[in-house]
Amino acid sequence: MEVVGFLCLAAAILAWGFLWVWDSWERMKSQEPAGVPGDGSRTLLVIAHPDDEAMFFAPTVLGLARLRHRLSLLCFSAGNYYNQGEVRKKELLQSCDVLGIPSSSIMIIDNRDFPDDPDVQWDTERVASILLQHIDANGINLVVTFDAGGVSGHCNHVALYAAVRTLHSEGKLPNGCSVLTLQSVNVLRKYISLLDLPFSLLHTRDVLFVLTSKEVARAKRAMSCHRSQLLWFRRLYVLFSRYMRINSLHFL
């Protein structure tokens, strides 16, 4: 009898948890994220390498597209670590086409000041200066980039956060320009795919984007454009990473 009672209690808790997650998800889908600029806003995605847009930010890009944002992308390197820069530029354009970012709204910086190298720290002031020029020239309302953890801890990712943080803390961003940073999570959460949804619902302070099954397929198509990068471990990443399905973001 005690075993039966325990099993019934466990089943009731699991059912309650499932219903809570489902109800929270449905309410989240029916509401516009608080604090995110509305229809027609100009949003700039700032990445370090070609494939960051699909590997890490696809839920954000597709989620903002739902909100009818006008998306543009600024990539600070050609991803030339293995001398594949020219190939990776083309792959980025193909991926962005799948994600709905027009080629006319994409800028790729191919400069020795910003090498694709996990051991090189990009100059914060230099990154910030170029970024601010791009924001001003394009009337950007919302900037999206990495947080202090850089998702993977890559030095180039972290450099982008440092630059945006500097602009924000020094009050140099234009009035009405907000910044969203992609939340880094621990390794366990990173690779449990949609099973991370309950944790994301509990721990996301500001904005959460969750893809539908059709949108997940679109995100995977975008990632498949980066053929030069699809080594076996990245194929596993596409299968299991939460970042192909869920993005939690925080405002600065």
Side-chain angles (χ1 to χ4, degrees), residues 39-96:
D39 187 350
S41 294
R42 293 177 179 269
T43 295
L44 177 65
L45 175 61
V46 184
I47 60 175
H49 318 106
D51 77 9
D52 290 348
E53 82 296 336
M55 185 177 288
F56 304 120
F57 290 97
T60 298
V61 171
L62 296 175
L64 290 172
R66 281 187 228 138
L67 301 176
R68 295 178 178 160
H69 280 218
R70 299 169 63 181
L71 288 157
S72 57
L73 181 143
L74 177 59
C75 183
F76 267 85
S77 82
N80 202 40
Y81 189 67
Y82 293 108
N83 298 314
Q84 296 176 311
E86 293 305 313
V87 171
R88 297 192 68 185
K89 288 179 187 178
K90 294 175 182 176
E91 291 174 344
L92 175 60
L93 295 176
Q94 293 168 358
S95 172
C96 286

Side-chain angles (χ1 to χ4, degrees), residues 133-149:
Q133 289 175 30
H134 199 80
I135 291 170
D136 286 336
N138 294 278
I140 298 301
N141 307 114
L142 177 65
V143 176
V144 179
T145 194
F146 295 98
D147 71 356

Side-chain angles (χ1 to χ4, degrees), residues 18-39:
F18 175 80
L19 291 172
W20 177 80
V21 170
W22 182 267
D23 178 65
S24 298
W25 189 7
E26 288 299 313
R27 283 189 286 107
M28 180 198 68
K29 288 194 297 182
S30 65
Q31 297 174 354
E32 291 191 3
V36 175
D39 187 350

